[in-house]
PDB file of all heavy atoms in Angstrom:
ATOM      1  N   TRP B 372     163.318 196.935  36.231  1.00  0.00           N
ATOM      2  CA  TRP B 372     162.694 196.682  34.937  1.00  0.00           C
ATOM      3  C   TRP B 372     161.857 197.876  34.495  1.00  0.00           C
ATOM      4  O   TRP B 372     161.123 198.436  35.300  1.00  0.00           O
ATOM      5  CB  TRP B 372     161.854 195.414  35.086  1.00  0.00           C
ATOM      6  CG  TRP B 372     161.031 195.030  33.886  1.00  0.00           C
ATOM      7  CD1 TRP B 372     161.370 195.170  32.583  1.00  0.00           C
ATOM      8  CD2 TRP B 372     159.737 194.402  33.921  1.00  0.00           C
ATOM      9  NE1 TRP B 372     160.356 194.662  31.786  1.00  0.00           N
ATOM     10  CE2 TRP B 372     159.349 194.187  32.573  1.00  0.00           C
ATOM     11  CE3 TRP B 372     158.890 193.990  34.938  1.00  0.00           C
ATOM     12  CZ2 TRP B 372     158.127 193.595  32.250  1.00  0.00           C
ATOM     13  CZ3 TRP B 372     157.677 193.402  34.616  1.00  0.00           C
ATOM     14  CH2 TRP B 372     157.314 193.201  33.277  1.00  0.00           C
ATOM     15  N   TRP B 373     162.031 198.230  33.218  1.00  0.00           N
ATOM     16  CA  TRP B 373     161.107 199.162  32.564  1.00  0.00           C
ATOM     17  C   TRP B 373     161.102 200.529  33.229  1.00  0.00           C
ATOM     18  O   TRP B 373     162.085 201.234  33.158  1.00  0.00           O
ATOM     19  CB  TRP B 373     159.708 198.545  32.575  1.00  0.00           C
ATOM     20  CG  TRP B 373     158.737 199.025  31.523  1.00  0.00           C
ATOM     21  CD1 TRP B 373     158.722 200.230  30.893  1.00  0.00           C
ATOM     22  CD2 TRP B 373     157.633 198.269  30.998  1.00  0.00           C
ATOM     23  NE1 TRP B 373     157.656 200.258  30.017  1.00  0.00           N
ATOM     24  CE2 TRP B 373     156.974 199.098  30.059  1.00  0.00           C
ATOM     25  CE3 TRP B 373     157.123 196.992  31.233  1.00  0.00           C
ATOM     26  CZ2 TRP B 373     155.830 198.680  29.363  1.00  0.00           C
ATOM     27  CZ3 TRP B 373     155.998 196.575  30.536  1.00  0.00           C
ATOM     28  CH2 TRP B 373     155.355 197.417  29.609  1.00  0.00           C
ATOM     29  N   PHE B 374     160.016 200.887  33.884  1.00  0.00           N
ATOM     30  CA  PHE B 374     159.930 202.217  34.488  1.00  0.00           C
ATOM     31  C   PHE B 374     160.969 202.424  35.598  1.00  0.00           C
ATOM     32  O   PHE B 374     161.216 203.549  36.008  1.00  0.00           O
ATOM     33  CB  PHE B 374     158.534 202.435  35.069  1.00  0.00           C
ATOM     34  CG  PHE B 374     157.449 202.378  34.039  1.00  0.00           C
ATOM     35  CD1 PHE B 374     156.603 201.279  33.941  1.00  0.00           C
ATOM     36  CD2 PHE B 374     157.282 203.423  33.131  1.00  0.00           C
ATOM     37  CE1 PHE B 374     155.599 201.225  32.980  1.00  0.00           C
ATOM     38  CE2 PHE B 374     156.275 203.383  32.167  1.00  0.00           C
ATOM     39  CZ  PHE B 374     155.434 202.272  32.088  1.00  0.00           C
ATOM     40  N   HIS B 375     161.529 201.349  36.088  1.00  0.00           N
ATOM     41  CA  HIS B 375     162.433 201.464  37.233  1.00  0.00           C
ATOM     42  C   HIS B 375     163.902 201.346  36.844  1.00  0.00           C
ATOM     43  O   HIS B 375     164.767 201.392  37.695  1.00  0.00           O
ATOM     44  CB  HIS B 375     162.060 200.414  38.276  1.00  0.00           C
ATOM     45  CG  HIS B 375     160.601 200.427  38.576  1.00  0.00           C
ATOM     46  ND1 HIS B 375     159.929 201.600  38.839  1.00  0.00           N
ATOM     47  CD2 HIS B 375     159.660 199.431  38.628  1.00  0.00           C
ATOM     48  CE1 HIS B 375     158.641 201.332  39.040  1.00  0.00           C
ATOM     49  NE2 HIS B 375     158.458 200.038  38.912  1.00  0.00           N
ATOM     50  N   ASP B 376     164.164 201.179  35.553  1.00  0.00           N
ATOM     51  CA  ASP B 376     165.526 201.052  35.048  1.00  0.00           C
ATOM     52  C   ASP B 376     166.095 202.450  34.842  1.00  0.00           C
ATOM     53  O   ASP B 376     166.358 202.888  33.720  1.00  0.00           O
ATOM     54  CB  ASP B 376     165.483 200.259  33.747  1.00  0.00           C
ATOM     55  CG  ASP B 376     166.855 200.122  33.108  1.00  0.00           C
ATOM     56  OD1 ASP B 376     167.860 200.403  33.791  1.00  0.00           O
ATOM     57  OD2 ASP B 376     166.912 199.756  31.921  1.00  0.00           O
ATOM     58  N   SER B 377     166.275 203.167  35.937  1.00  0.00           N
ATOM     59  CA  SER B 377     166.664 204.567  35.925  1.00  0.00           C
ATOM     60  C   SER B 377     167.623 204.776  37.077  1.00  0.00           C
ATOM     61  O   SER B 377     167.801 203.890  37.904  1.00  0.00           O
ATOM     62  CB  SER B 377     165.427 205.435  36.121  1.00  0.00           C
ATOM     63  OG  SER B 377     164.831 205.096  37.373  1.00  0.00           O
ATOM     64  N   GLU B 378     168.223 205.960  37.144  1.00  0.00           N
ATOM     65  CA  GLU B 378     169.228 206.173  38.176  1.00  0.00           C
ATOM     66  C   GLU B 378     168.668 205.990  39.583  1.00  0.00           C
ATOM     67  O   GLU B 378     169.223 205.246  40.391  1.00  0.00           O
ATOM     68  CB  GLU B 378     169.826 207.580  38.015  1.00  0.00           C
ATOM     69  CG  GLU B 378     171.012 207.801  38.915  1.00  0.00           C
ATOM     70  CD  GLU B 378     171.720 209.118  38.616  1.00  0.00           C
ATOM     71  OE1 GLU B 378     171.535 209.675  37.524  1.00  0.00           O
ATOM     72  OE2 GLU B 378     172.455 209.583  39.489  1.00  0.00           O
ATOM     73  N   ALA B 379     167.571 206.656  39.872  1.00  0.00           N
ATOM     74  CA  ALA B 379     166.996 206.523  41.212  1.00  0.00           C
ATOM     75  C   ALA B 379     166.390 205.128  41.401  1.00  0.00           C
ATOM     76  O   ALA B 379     166.409 204.575  42.507  1.00  0.00           O
ATOM     77  CB  ALA B 379     165.936 207.605  41.446  1.00  0.00           C
ATOM     78  N   GLY B 380     165.855 204.569  40.327  1.00  0.00           N
ATOM     79  CA  GLY B 380     165.307 203.214  40.408  1.00  0.00           C
ATOM     80  C   GLY B 380     166.383 202.190  40.758  1.00  0.00           C
ATOM     81  O   GLY B 380     166.145 201.271  41.552  1.00  0.00           O
ATOM     82  N   ILE B 381     167.537 202.350  40.167  1.00  0.00           N
ATOM     83  CA  ILE B 381     168.650 201.442  40.470  1.00  0.00           C
ATOM     84  C   ILE B 381     169.086 201.617  41.927  1.00  0.00           C
ATOM     85  O   ILE B 381     169.352 200.635  42.634  1.00  0.00           O
ATOM     86  CB  ILE B 381     169.816 201.699  39.484  1.00  0.00           C
ATOM     87  CG1 ILE B 381     169.422 201.223  38.081  1.00  0.00           C
ATOM     88  CG2 ILE B 381     171.091 201.012  39.959  1.00  0.00           C
ATOM     89  CD1 ILE B 381     170.352 201.695  36.964  1.00  0.00           C
ATOM     90  N   ALA B 382     169.134 202.864  42.378  1.00  0.00           N
ATOM     91  CA  ALA B 382     169.516 203.110  43.776  1.00  0.00           C
ATOM     92  C   ALA B 382     168.511 202.465  44.735  1.00  0.00           C
ATOM     93  O   ALA B 382     168.881 201.851  45.738  1.00  0.00           O
ATOM     94  CB  ALA B 382     169.624 204.612  44.035  1.00  0.00           C
ATOM     95  N   ARG B 383     167.229 202.593  44.417  1.00  0.00           N
ATOM     96  CA  ARG B 383     166.211 201.975  45.288  1.00  0.00           C
ATOM     97  C   ARG B 383     166.364 200.467  45.298  1.00  0.00           C
ATOM     98  O   ARG B 383     166.195 199.815  46.322  1.00  0.00           O
ATOM     99  CB  ARG B 383     164.792 202.344  44.811  1.00  0.00           C
ATOM    100  CG  ARG B 383     164.411 203.768  45.118  1.00  0.00           C
ATOM    101  CD  ARG B 383     162.920 204.018  44.924  1.00  0.00           C
ATOM    102  NE  ARG B 383     162.474 203.832  43.563  1.00  0.00           N
ATOM    103  CZ  ARG B 383     162.418 204.810  42.652  1.00  0.00           C
ATOM    104  NH1 ARG B 383     162.797 206.037  42.953  1.00  0.00           N
ATOM    105  NH2 ARG B 383     161.977 204.565  41.433  1.00  0.00           N
TER     106      ARG B 383
END
Side-chain angles (χ1 to χ4, degrees):
Chain B
W372 175 36
W373 204 333
F374 298 106
H375 310 312
D376 178 14
S377 60
E378 188 172 341
I381 290 167
R383 286 193 297 268

